[in-house]
Amino acid sequence: MTTPLPPHPLRRIAVTGASGKTGWRVVQEAIARGMAVRAILRPDSAVPAGLAGADLLRLDLGDRLALKAALSDCEALVIATGARPSVDLLGPLKVDALAMRDQLAACREAGVKRVVLVSALCSGRWLHPLNLFGLILVWKGLGERWLADSGLDWTVVRPGGLTETEQDLDQQGILYSGPGQQQSKSIPRRLVARVCLDALDNPAAIGRIVEVTSSPAQPQQPLSAWLST
């Protein structure tokens, strides 16, 4: 018989972009830590198996009243939304910038103070090959700036190249750094999800941009240890 986990100090968090490959892992990891999770999905998105146990809610992020209602009983928000490759070159502007503005406004209106954003290495740069896809890093940088100016207690997590591996994660050490310190390398999505939740648990992460990549050669340390140095 499985012993139930004690309730987490954050009684309920919301995750936007919950149907995405990083988003559903954030939901899954949060539930494993004893959190109640409201998983917010686009109206037309499929429901991954990883969302089992979450409170599912479909809405358009541009519908600020619906988003405010969805956040009204939550204590924190993890933003895992991100533009997907498509023929719509305005996608990154809509998702990584304009939808960020709507989410931040809804947080203020709903009284949600704590926000963690999943962004990307090199966010804000103009001269980068990824910008061939609708200036995606430019718009991610704008979304980050809006978050920093929002008056909320924010953390930005910038992962390197995201991988799907679920094997041997305990052998991966995470390299943490401040903004502009890392240029490439990769990290499993599962570890990114864990970093986001570690940031929620650590007040020292508020107001910080944290870049993360991983490798078996990297010494292992928790986010709290890096923040303390």
Side-chain angles (χ1 to χ4, degrees):
M1 182 175 179
T2 302
T3 303
L5 289 171
H8 192 276
L10 287 173
R11 292 186 295 275
R12 183 182 299 278
I13 69 167
V15 179
T16 52
S19 64
K21 294 179 180 180
T22 301
W24 71 255
R25 288 175 168 90
V26 173
V27 172
Q28 202 173 60
E29 290 289 326
I31 291 173
R33 296 186 187 202
M35 299 179 184
V37 184
R38 175 156 299 134
I40 299 176
L41 300 80
R42 298 188 315 276
D44 59 345
S45 61
V47 179
L51 295 185
D55 174 18
L56 303 185
L57 185 62
R58 293 183 178 276
L59 57 81
D60 185 333
L61 293 177
D63 186 343
R64 193 175 296 177
L65 287 177
L67 186 54
K68 175 185 174 182
L71 297 176
S72 61
D73 60 346
C74 297
E75 298 177 41
L77 171 64
V78 177
I79 300 176
T81 53
R84 298 178 179 179
S86 75
V87 296
D88 181 9
L89 293 182
L90 294 179
L93 168 62
K94 297 173 184 175
V95 176
D96 293 296
L98 300 182
M100 270 289 299
R101 182 179 60 187
D102 292 331
Q103 291 181 79
L104 298 177
C107 282
R108 289 191 293 265
E109 293 166 4
V112 176
K113 188 68 174 174
R114 187 73 175 96
V115 178
V116 173
L117 168 66
V118 181
S119 185
L121 286 189
C122 303
S123 176
R125 292 192 183 182
W126 282 88
L127 298 177
H128 194 284
L130 283 178
N131 283 326
L132 294 174
F133 169 46
L135 297 177
I136 187 169
L137 294 178
V138 174
W139 301 127
K140 282 185 180 294
L142 180 59
E144 287 185 10
R145 291 197 295 276
W146 283 343
L147 176 58
D149 294 338
S150 67
L152 303 172
D153 292 337
W154 59 272
T155 303
V156 173
V157 176
R158 290 180 178 175
L162 294 165
T163 68
E164 307 299 317
T165 182
E166 296 282 334
Q167 297 179 344
D168 301 324
L169 295 178
D170 58 344
Q171 297 179 19
Q172 295 274 329
I174 299 176
L175 174 61
Y176 303 97
S177 71
Q181 301 297 304
Q182 300 190 58
Q183 314 299 321
S184 58
K185 297 187 178 178
S186 62
I187 184 170
R189 292 180 187 271
R190 178 75 61 182
L191 295 184
V192 175
R194 293 174 183 174
V195 171
C196 290
L197 298 172
D198 290 345
L200 281 182
D201 281 340
N202 199 318
I206 293 173
R208 302 287 295 271
I209 295 175
V210 184
E211 297 184 343
V212 288
T213 59
S214 70
S215 77
Q218 178 67 28
Q220 296 192 11
Q221 67 169 335
L223 175 64
S224 58
W226 177 77
L227 289 170
S228 69
T229 59

